[in-house]
Amino acid sequence: MRLSVFHRTTYRYRSPVVESYNELRLRSATEDKSRLEFFLLRVDPPARLRHYRDDWFNYVHYFDLPEAHSSLIIEAQSIVNTTNPYADCIPSGVPMRSLKTGLDDMMAPFIADSCYVEVSPEAWRLGVDIRDGREDVFETAEAVMHHIFREWTYAPSTTTVATHMNEVLASRRGVCQDFAHVMIGICRSLGIPARYASGYLYNGPGANLRGAEASHAWCEVYVPGRGWFGLDPTNNTRADERHVKIATGRDYHDAAPVSGYFHGPQGATSALEVEVEVRPK
């Protein structure tokens, strides 16, 4: 699927701020021009953009604005070609026991605690109940996805980007970021490596997908011998050609689309607006 993506983040400050530093994960990490045909990034006030690859191989742009400014606009435009990783096969048939012998040290960060995810006793107890004796890795992960979709309430504005998985476990309310964190925590508690994926979601004609109006998030699980596969608990669906993946990491902290800081008068605040449009090209 060939998709055009437009993303604008706007900060408006109550008082002028200085020494703003920002990191952006808005460009797909691929170097394959058949997958990423076009990418353009613009910031206002203008700034020199630099980039690097982070520990998770994400493409990170960064810039600083030392001078005073009252607003900051970040715009990213992309044309991407997506494919369905499940088109050829479903990664079933891999037993849970393979998780004890089929993982290398590269998987260690994805089965441990991270900034917003805890492999807690509560997550483990819930995971054992959901697993219900299943012995297939991918089937178990899908069962976790189905459970979160059924039992959690999609409730915008009830959480923030700093909400921890444990709060969402208790409230059973949240948005895509929260559901991804909960799924990651439950899967890790069962020994299934799981990571956070951020990007966008195409909500085609007649579709009613949650999270398509902004940056989206879902979970990827590692199936030994098969690789990483995305599952979207917000929409109870496998991550397919409608999902435009931009960054991955242990949780939101590693894959946030825009992050940074600034200095300003005591009590200085900012208003945030995010616009996202994904359409066929």
Side-chain angles (χ1 to χ4, degrees), residues 90-100 102-103 131 133-145 183 187 190-194 220-227 229 231:
I90 305 302
S92 57
V94 179
M96 291 289 287
R97 64 177 179 273
S98 67
L99 297 170
K100 297 185 181 298
L103 302 179
R131 180 183 174 185
R134 291 178 175 85
E135 291 299 332
D136 184 281
V137 174
F138 189 71
E139 180 185 346
T140 300
E142 281 202 303
V144 175
M145 175 184 71
M183 183 168 177
C187 286
L190 295 173
I192 302 173
E220 289 190 337
V221 296
Y222 183 78
V223 181
R226 305 291 183 85
F229 291 87
L231 296 168

Side-chain angles (χ1 to χ4, degrees), residues 11-20 68-71 260-272:
Y11 294 96
R12 302 192 188 280
Y13 307 104
R14 181 166 296 180
S15 302
V17 302
V18 296
E19 297 179 22
S20 171
H69 53 284
S70 298
S71 65
Y261 60 83
F262 61 83
H263 295 287
Q266 185 174 3
T269 59
S270 63
L272 171 65

Side-chain angles (χ1 to χ4, degrees), residues 65-78:
L65 291 169
E67 68 276 6
H69 53 284
S70 298
S71 65
L72 171 61
I73 300 173
I74 301 164
E75 287 186 355
Q77 299 177 59
S78 304

Side-chain angles (χ1 to χ4, degrees), residues 190-202:
L190 295 173
I192 302 173
R195 68 185 183 186
Y196 186 97
S198 69
Y200 307 102
L201 180 61
Y202 171 58

